[in-house]
Amino acid sequence: DAKTTQPTSMDCAEGRAANLPCNHSTISGNEYVYWYRQIHSQGPQYIIHGLKNNETNEMASLIITEDRKSSTLILPHATLRDTAVYYCIVSTLNTNAGKSTFGDGTTLTVKP
Amino acid sequence: GAVVSQHPSWVICKSGTSVKIECRSLDFQATTMFWYRQFPKQSLMLMATSNEGSKATYEQGVEKDKFLINHASLTLSTLTVTSAHPEDSSFYICSVWVAGFYNEQFFGPGTRLTVL
């Protein structure tokens, strides 16, 4: 799996949008971009994934650049409960997709 | 979505004893499950892939004789930490990859192991 790079930490004001960047310059054509988050002392939670088109669900939006070398996760209205470590991962959809390589992620702190 | 449970959620044991951690896939049959380990303030590290009905495959540097994995059914995988030592104290997390409609990884809540 391709490696990703993310900023170590970010702060966001409650109610504002949180934009979390991720670089994946060596991503392969069949690899998807996945985002998970981990709240302290819990298992990671799936947020969203995409291949090349922008995606949106009830939790977040995912913006992938045209060259697919980077992406941005957007939490439109951050709440205190969104404080967590956010992981950006690239992965195929085959049976080994669960063998995810987690980087250090971005620690997002949402402040009142 | 799929629900993955782990038991126990936390365990404290004495050095030299063995500890078994269960991972259950409650909604989906899982021929493959994954075990991760996470030390404090570090990221998740994949330990092994648990395969139903066959031997687990371990990542480089993970001792297979120390971390015994059994995947006897499509809904249950167990990780046994044998002869545990304080350096094995960690957060152990299992996961299930669900293809098709979801195409996402579902993680268990984790098990906190403390070895005294």
Side-chain angles (χ1 to χ4, degrees):
Chain A
D1 290 342
K3 292 185 177 180
T4 63
T5 56
Q6 300 176 249
T8 301
S9 63
M10 294 182 65
D11 290 343
C12 177
E14 187 178 19
R16 303 295 295 269
N19 298 290
L20 291 85
C22 178
N23 287 320
H24 31 79
S25 58
T26 59
I27 190 171
S28 299
N30 62 344
E31 289 182 314
Y32 288 68
V33 179
Y34 277 81
W35 283 84
Y36 293 87
R37 73 180 182 184
Q38 185 179 26
I39 296 171
H40 183 62
S41 296
Q42 297 183 23
Q45 174 193 23
Y46 166 85
I47 301 174
I48 198 167
H49 75 280
L51 182 62
K52 56 182 179 180
N53 296 322
N54 298 337
E55 301 288 344
T56 296
N57 62 20
E58 65 279 3
M59 290 183 67
S61 294
L62 174 61
I63 308 297
I64 303 174
T65 58
E66 189 170 347
D67 62 8
R68 302 209 322 125
K69 292 185 177 181
S70 66
S71 61
T72 301
L73 177 73
I74 301 173
L75 307 179
H77 305 288
T79 70
L80 299 178
R81 295 180 181 179
D82 292 322
T83 293
V85 179
Y86 287 77
Y87 296 101
C88 168
I89 296 166
V90 292
S91 175
T92 59
L93 298 185
N94 61 25
T95 54
N96 284 325
K99 297 179 69 174
S100 299
T101 299
F102 283 78
D104 293 331
T106 296
T107 299
L108 174 68
T109 303
V110 181
K111 297 184 175 181
Chain B
V3 176
V4 179
S5 69
Q6 286 184 237
H7 178 79
S9 55
W10 58 270
V11 57
I12 301 173
C13 69
K14 293 182 178 180
S15 184
T17 61
S18 295
V19 175
K20 180 185 287 187
I21 301 170
E22 294 184 347
C23 175
R24 294 182 183 275
S25 175
L26 302 182
D27 299 323
F28 290 88
Q29 294 182 330
T31 56
T32 304
M33 292 184 178
F34 303 92
W35 286 97
Y36 292 81
R37 178 170 56 183
Q38 185 176 33
F39 292 109
K41 297 187 178 181
Q42 294 187 23
S43 186
L44 283 77
M45 183 180 70
L46 179 67
M47 297 177 64
T49 301
S50 175
N51 303 300
E52 189 268 336
S54 64
K55 293 182 179 180
T57 54
Y58 293 82
E59 297 300 302
Q60 189 173 8
V62 178
E63 301 176 57
K64 62 179 182 180
D65 294 330
K66 181 169 183 62
F67 299 99
L68 301 180
I69 292 174
N70 183 276
H71 194 150
S73 78
L74 290 172
T75 59
L76 174 64
S77 174
T78 60
L79 169 68
T80 301
V81 183
T82 62
S83 187
H85 292 284
E87 57 265 31
D88 298 322
S89 298
S90 188
F91 194 49
Y92 292 86
I93 306 168
C94 68
S95 75
V96 172
W97 170 261
V98 180
F101 178 77
Y102 289 102
N103 283 328
E104 67 182 80
Q105 199 167 356
F106 291 89
F107 292 86
T111 297
R112 175 76 58 191
L113 170 63
T114 301
V115 184
L116 302 177

CSV table of all heavy atoms in Angstrom, one decimal, chain A residues 42-81:
chain,number,residue,atom,x,y,z
A,42,GLN,N,-10.6,4.0,21.9
A,42,GLN,CA,-11.6,3.3,21.2
A,42,GLN,C,-11.0,2.7,19.9
A,42,GLN,O,-9.9,3.1,19.5
A,42,GLN,CB,-12.8,4.2,20.9
A,42,GLN,CG,-13.5,4.7,22.1
A,42,GLN,CD,-14.7,5.6,21.7
A,42,GLN,OE1,-15.3,5.4,20.6
A,42,GLN,NE2,-15.1,6.4,22.5
A,43,GLY,N,-11.7,1.8,19.3
A,43,GLY,CA,-11.3,1.3,18.0
A,43,GLY,C,-11.5,2.3,16.9
A,43,GLY,O,-12.4,3.2,17.1
A,44,PRO,N,-10.8,2.3,15.8
A,44,PRO,CA,-11.0,3.3,14.7
A,44,PRO,C,-12.4,3.1,14.2
A,44,PRO,O,-13.0,2.1,14.2
A,44,PRO,CB,-9.9,2.9,13.7
A,44,PRO,CG,-8.9,2.2,14.5
A,44,PRO,CD,-9.6,1.5,15.6
A,45,GLN,N,-12.9,4.2,13.6
A,45,GLN,CA,-14.2,4.3,13.0
A,45,GLN,C,-14.1,4.8,11.6
A,45,GLN,O,-13.4,5.8,11.3
A,45,GLN,CB,-15.1,5.3,13.8
A,45,GLN,CG,-16.4,5.6,13.2
A,45,GLN,CD,-17.1,6.7,13.9
A,45,GLN,OE1,-16.5,7.6,14.5
A,45,GLN,NE2,-18.4,6.8,13.8
A,46,TYR,N,-14.8,4.1,10.7
A,46,TYR,CA,-14.8,4.5,9.3
A,46,TYR,C,-15.5,5.8,9.1
A,46,TYR,O,-16.5,6.1,9.7
A,46,TYR,CB,-15.5,3.4,8.4
A,46,TYR,CG,-15.8,3.8,7.0
A,46,TYR,CD1,-14.9,3.7,6.0
A,46,TYR,CD2,-17.1,4.3,6.7
A,46,TYR,CE1,-15.3,4.1,4.7
A,46,TYR,CE2,-17.4,4.7,5.5
A,46,TYR,CZ,-16.5,4.6,4.4
A,46,TYR,OH,-16.9,4.9,3.2
A,47,ILE,N,-14.9,6.7,8.2
A,47,ILE,CA,-15.6,7.9,7.9
A,47,ILE,C,-16.1,8.0,6.5
A,47,ILE,O,-17.3,8.1,6.2
A,47,ILE,CB,-14.6,9.1,8.1
A,47,ILE,CG1,-14.1,9.2,9.6
A,47,ILE,CG2,-15.3,10.5,7.8
A,47,ILE,CD1,-13.1,10.2,9.8
A,48,ILE,N,-15.2,7.8,5.5
A,48,ILE,CA,-15.5,7.9,4.1
A,48,ILE,C,-14.4,7.4,3.3
A,48,ILE,O,-13.3,7.2,3.8
A,48,ILE,CB,-15.7,9.4,3.8
A,48,ILE,CG1,-16.5,9.6,2.5
A,48,ILE,CG2,-14.4,10.2,3.8
A,48,ILE,CD1,-17.0,11.1,2.4
A,49,HIS,N,-14.7,7.1,2.0
A,49,HIS,CA,-13.6,6.7,1.1
A,49,HIS,C,-14.0,7.1,-0.3
A,49,HIS,O,-15.2,7.3,-0.6
A,49,HIS,CB,-13.3,5.2,1.2
A,49,HIS,CG,-14.4,4.3,0.5
A,49,HIS,ND1,-15.6,3.9,1.1
A,49,HIS,CD2,-14.4,3.7,-0.7
A,49,HIS,CE1,-16.2,3.1,0.3
A,49,HIS,NE2,-15.6,2.9,-0.8
A,50,GLY,N,-13.0,7.1,-1.2
A,50,GLY,CA,-13.3,7.5,-2.6
A,50,GLY,C,-12.1,7.1,-3.5
A,50,GLY,O,-11.0,6.9,-3.0
A,51,LEU,N,-12.4,7.1,-4.8
A,51,LEU,CA,-11.4,6.7,-5.7
A,51,LEU,C,-10.8,7.9,-6.5
A,51,LEU,O,-9.6,8.2,-6.4
A,51,LEU,CB,-12.0,5.7,-6.8
A,51,LEU,CG,-11.0,5.2,-7.9
A,51,LEU,CD1,-9.9,4.4,-7.2
A,51,LEU,CD2,-11.8,4.4,-8.9
A,52,LYS,N,-11.7,8.7,-7.1
A,52,LYS,CA,-11.3,9.9,-7.8
A,52,LYS,C,-12.3,11.0,-7.7
A,52,LYS,O,-11.9,12.2,-7.8
A,52,LYS,CB,-10.9,9.6,-9.2
A,52,LYS,CG,-12.0,8.9,-10.1
A,52,LYS,CD,-11.4,8.6,-11.5
A,52,LYS,CE,-12.5,7.9,-12.3
A,52,LYS,NZ,-12.0,7.6,-13.7
A,53,ASN,N,-13.5,10.7,-7.6
A,53,ASN,CA,-14.6,11.7,-7.5
A,53,ASN,C,-14.7,12.1,-6.0
A,53,ASN,O,-14.4,11.4,-5.1
A,53,ASN,CB,-15.9,11.1,-8.0
A,53,ASN,CG,-15.8,10.8,-9.4
A,53,ASN,OD1,-15.2,11.5,-10.2
A,53,ASN,ND2,-16.5,9.7,-9.8
A,54,ASN,N,-15.2,13.3,-5.9
A,54,ASN,CA,-15.5,13.8,-4.5
A,54,ASN,C,-16.7,13.0,-3.9
A,54,ASN,O,-17.6,12.6,-4.7
A,54,ASN,CB,-15.8,15.3,-4.5
A,54,ASN,CG,-14.6,16.1,-5.0
A,54,ASN,OD1,-13.5,15.7,-5.0
A,54,ASN,ND2,-14.9,17.3,-5.6
A,55,GLU,N,-16.6,12.8,-2.7
A,55,GLU,CA,-17.6,12.0,-2.0
A,55,GLU,C,-18.1,12.8,-0.8
A,55,GLU,O,-17.4,13.6,-0.2
A,55,GLU,CB,-17.1,10.7,-1.5
A,55,GLU,CG,-16.5,9.8,-2.6
A,55,GLU,CD,-17.6,9.2,-3.6
A,55,GLU,OE1,-18.8,9.2,-3.2
A,55,GLU,OE2,-17.2,8.7,-4.7
A,56,THR,N,-19.4,12.5,-0.5
A,56,THR,CA,-20.0,13.2,0.7
A,56,THR,C,-20.9,12.1,1.4
A,56,THR,O,-21.6,11.4,0.7
A,56,THR,CB,-20.8,14.4,0.3
A,56,THR,OG1,-19.9,15.4,-0.2
A,56,THR,CG2,-21.5,15.0,1.6
A,57,ASN,N,-20.9,12.1,2.7
A,57,ASN,CA,-21.9,11.3,3.4
A,57,ASN,C,-22.3,12.1,4.6
A,57,ASN,O,-22.0,13.3,4.7
A,57,ASN,CB,-21.3,9.9,3.8
A,57,ASN,CG,-20.1,10.0,4.7
A,57,ASN,OD1,-19.9,11.0,5.4
A,57,ASN,ND2,-19.4,8.9,4.7
A,58,GLU,N,-23.0,11.5,5.5
A,58,GLU,CA,-23.6,12.2,6.7
A,58,GLU,C,-22.5,12.7,7.6
A,58,GLU,O,-22.7,13.6,8.5
A,58,GLU,CB,-24.6,11.4,7.4
A,58,GLU,CG,-24.0,10.1,8.1
A,58,GLU,CD,-23.8,9.0,7.1
A,58,GLU,OE1,-24.1,9.2,5.9
A,58,GLU,OE2,-23.4,7.9,7.6
A,59,MET,N,-21.3,12.2,7.5
A,59,MET,CA,-20.3,12.6,8.5
A,59,MET,C,-19.3,13.6,7.9
A,59,MET,O,-18.9,14.5,8.6
A,59,MET,CB,-19.4,11.3,8.8
A,59,MET,CG,-20.1,10.4,9.7
A,59,MET,SD,-19.0,9.0,10.2
A,59,MET,CE,-17.8,9.9,11.2
A,60,ALA,N,-19.0,13.5,6.6
A,60,ALA,CA,-17.9,14.3,6.1
A,60,ALA,C,-18.0,14.4,4.5
A,60,ALA,O,-18.8,13.7,3.9
A,60,ALA,CB,-16.6,13.8,6.5
A,61,SER,N,-17.1,15.2,4.0
A,61,SER,CA,-16.9,15.2,2.6
A,61,SER,C,-15.4,14.9,2.3
A,61,SER,O,-14.5,15.3,3.1
A,61,SER,CB,-17.2,16.6,2.0
A,61,SER,OG,-18.6,16.9,2.1
A,62,LEU,N,-15.2,14.3,1.2
A,62,LEU,CA,-13.8,14.0,0.7
A,62,LEU,C,-13.6,14.6,-0.6
A,62,LEU,O,-14.3,14.3,-1.6
A,62,LEU,CB,-13.7,12.4,0.7
A,62,LEU,CG,-12.3,11.9,0.1
A,62,LEU,CD1,-11.2,12.4,1.0
A,62,LEU,CD2,-12.4,10.4,0.0
A,63,ILE,N,-12.5,15.4,-0.7
A,63,ILE,CA,-12.1,16.1,-1.9
A,63,ILE,C,-10.8,15.5,-2.3
A,63,ILE,O,-9.8,15.5,-1.6
A,63,ILE,CB,-12.0,17.6,-1.7
A,63,ILE,CG1,-13.2,18.2,-1.1
A,63,ILE,CG2,-11.7,18.3,-3.1
A,63,ILE,CD1,-14.5,18.0,-1.9
A,64,ILE,N,-10.8,14.9,-3.5
A,64,ILE,CA,-9.6,14.3,-4.1
A,64,ILE,C,-9.1,15.1,-5.3
A,64,ILE,O,-9.9,15.4,-6.1
A,64,ILE,CB,-9.8,12.8,-4.5
A,64,ILE,CG1,-10.4,12.0,-3.3
A,64,ILE,CG2,-8.6,12.2,-5.1
A,64,ILE,CD1,-10.8,10.6,-3.7
A,65,THR,N,-7.9,15.5,-5.3
A,65,THR,CA,-7.3,16.3,-6.4
A,65,THR,C,-7.4,15.5,-7.7
A,65,THR,O,-7.4,14.2,-7.7
A,65,THR,CB,-5.9,16.7,-6.1
A,65,THR,OG1,-5.1,15.6,-5.9
A,65,THR,CG2,-5.8,17.6,-4.9
A,66,GLU,N,-7.4,16.2,-8.8
A,66,GLU,CA,-7.5,15.5,-10.1
A,66,GLU,C,-6.4,14.5,-10.3
A,66,GLU,O,-6.6,13.4,-10.9
A,66,GLU,CB,-7.5,16.6,-11.2
A,66,GLU,CG,-7.9,16.0,-12.6
A,66,GLU,CD,-8.2,17.1,-13.6
A,66,GLU,OE1,-8.3,18.3,-13.2
A,66,GLU,OE2,-8.2,16.8,-14.8
A,67,ASP,N,-5.2,14.8,-9.9
A,67,ASP,CA,-4.1,13.9,-10.1
A,67,ASP,C,-4.0,12.8,-9.0
A,67,ASP,O,-3.2,11.9,-9.0
A,67,ASP,CB,-2.7,14.6,-10.1
A,67,ASP,CG,-2.4,15.4,-8.8
A,67,ASP,OD1,-3.1,15.2,-7.8
A,67,ASP,OD2,-1.4,16.1,-8.8
A,68,ARG,N,-4.9,12.9,-8.1
A,68,ARG,CA,-5.1,11.9,-7.0
A,68,ARG,C,-3.9,11.8,-6.0
A,68,ARG,O,-3.8,10.9,-5.2
A,68,ARG,CB,-5.4,10.5,-7.5
A,68,ARG,CG,-6.6,10.4,-8.4
A,68,ARG,CD,-7.4,9.1,-8.4
A,68,ARG,NE,-6.5,8.0,-8.4
A,68,ARG,CZ,-6.6,7.0,-7.4
A,68,ARG,NH1,-7.5,7.1,-6.5
A,68,ARG,NH2,-5.7,6.0,-7.5
A,69,LYS,N,-3.1,12.8,-6.1
A,69,LYS,CA,-1.9,12.7,-5.2
A,69,LYS,C,-2.2,13.3,-3.8
A,69,LYS,O,-1.3,13.2,-2.9
A,69,LYS,CB,-0.7,13.5,-5.9
A,69,LYS,CG,-0.2,12.7,-7.1
A,69,LYS,CD,1.0,13.4,-7.7
A,69,LYS,CE,1.5,12.6,-8.9
A,69,LYS,NZ,2.7,13.2,-9.5
A,70,SER,N,-3.3,13.9,-3.6
A,70,SER,CA,-3.6,14.4,-2.3
A,70,SER,C,-5.2,14.5,-2.2
A,70,SER,O,-5.9,14.4,-3.2
A,70,SER,CB,-3.0,15.8,-2.1
A,70,SER,OG,-3.6,16.8,-3.0
A,71,SER,N,-5.6,14.6,-0.9
A,71,SER,CA,-7.0,14.7,-0.6
A,71,SER,C,-7.2,15.5,0.6
A,71,SER,O,-6.3,15.8,1.4
A,71,SER,CB,-7.6,13.3,-0.5
A,71,SER,OG,-7.0,12.6,0.6
A,72,THR,N,-8.5,15.9,0.8
A,72,THR,CA,-8.8,16.7,2.0
A,72,THR,C,-10.1,16.2,2.6
A,72,THR,O,-11.1,16.0,1.8
A,72,THR,CB,-9.0,18.2,1.7
A,72,THR,OG1,-7.8,18.7,1.1
A,72,THR,CG2,-9.4,19.0,2.9
A,73,LEU,N,-10.1,15.9,3.8
A,73,LEU,CA,-11.3,15.5,4.5
A,73,LEU,C,-11.9,16.7,5.2
A,73,LEU,O,-11.2,17.5,5.8
A,73,LEU,CB,-11.0,14.5,5.6
A,73,LEU,CG,-12.2,14.0,6.5
A,73,LEU,CD1,-13.1,13.1,5.7
A,73,LEU,CD2,-11.8,13.4,7.8
A,74,ILE,N,-13.2,16.9,4.9
A,74,ILE,CA,-13.9,18.1,5.5
A,74,ILE,C,-15.0,17.7,6.4
A,74,ILE,O,-15.9,17.0,6.0
A,74,ILE,CB,-14.5,19.0,4.3
A,74,ILE,CG1,-13.4,19.4,3.4
A,74,ILE,CG2,-15.2,20.2,4.9
A,74,ILE,CD1,-13.9,20.1,2.1
A,75,LEU,N,-14.9,18.2,7.6
A,75,LEU,CA,-16.0,18.0,8.6
A,75,LEU,C,-16.7,19.4,8.6
A,75,LEU,O,-16.1,20.4,9.1
A,75,LEU,CB,-15.4,17.7,10.0
A,75,LEU,CG,-14.5,16.5,10.1
A,75,LEU,CD1,-14.0,16.3,11.6
A,75,LEU,CD2,-15.2,15.2,9.6
A,76,PRO,N,-17.8,19.5,8.1
A,76,PRO,CA,-18.4,20.8,7.8
A,76,PRO,C,-18.7,21.6,9.0
A,76,PRO,O,-18.6,22.9,9.0
A,76,PRO,CB,-19.7,20.5,7.1
A,76,PRO,CG,-20.0,19.0,7.4
A,76,PRO,CD,-18.7,18.4,7.6
A,77,HIS,N,-19.1,21.0,10.1
A,77,HIS,CA,-19.4,21.8,11.3
A,77,HIS,C,-18.9,21.0,12.5
A,77,HIS,O,-19.6,20.2,13.1
A,77,HIS,CB,-21.0,22.0,11.5
A,77,HIS,CG,-21.6,22.6,10.3
A,77,HIS,ND1,-21.4,24.0,10.0
A,77,HIS,CD2,-22.4,22.1,9.3
A,77,HIS,CE1,-22.1,24.3,8.9
A,77,HIS,NE2,-22.7,23.2,8.5
A,78,ALA,N,-17.6,21.2,12.8
A,78,ALA,CA,-17.0,20.4,13.8
A,78,ALA,C,-17.6,20.6,15.2
A,78,ALA,O,-18.0,21.7,15.6
A,78,ALA,CB,-15.5,20.7,13.9
A,79,THR,N,-17.7,19.5,15.9
A,79,THR,CA,-18.2,19.6,17.3
A,79,THR,C,-17.1,19.0,18.2
A,79,THR,O,-16.1,18.4,17.8
A,79,THR,CB,-19.4,18.7,17.5
A,79,THR,OG1,-19.1,17.3,17.4
A,79,THR,CG2,-20.5,19.1,16.5
A,80,LEU,N,-17.3,19.2,19.5
A,80,LEU,CA,-16.2,18.7,20.4
A,80,LEU,C,-16.0,17.2,20.3
A,80,LEU,O,-15.0,16.7,20.6
A,80,LEU,CB,-16.6,19.1,21.9
A,80,LEU,CG,-16.8,20.6,22.2
A,80,LEU,CD1,-17.2,20.8,23.6
A,80,LEU,CD2,-15.5,21.3,21.9
A,81,ARG,N,-17.1,16.5,19.9
A,81,ARG,CA,-17.0,15.1,19.8
A,81,ARG,C,-16.2,14.6,18.6
A,81,ARG,O,-15.9,13.4,18.5
A,81,ARG,CB,-18.4,14.5,19.7
A,81,ARG,CG,-19.3,14.6,20.9
A,81,ARG,CD,-20.7,14.0,20.7
A,81,ARG,NE,-21.5,14.2,21.9
A,81,ARG,CZ,-22.8,13.8,21.9
A,81,ARG,NH1,-23.3,13.1,20.9
A,81,ARG,NH2,-23.5,14.0,23.0
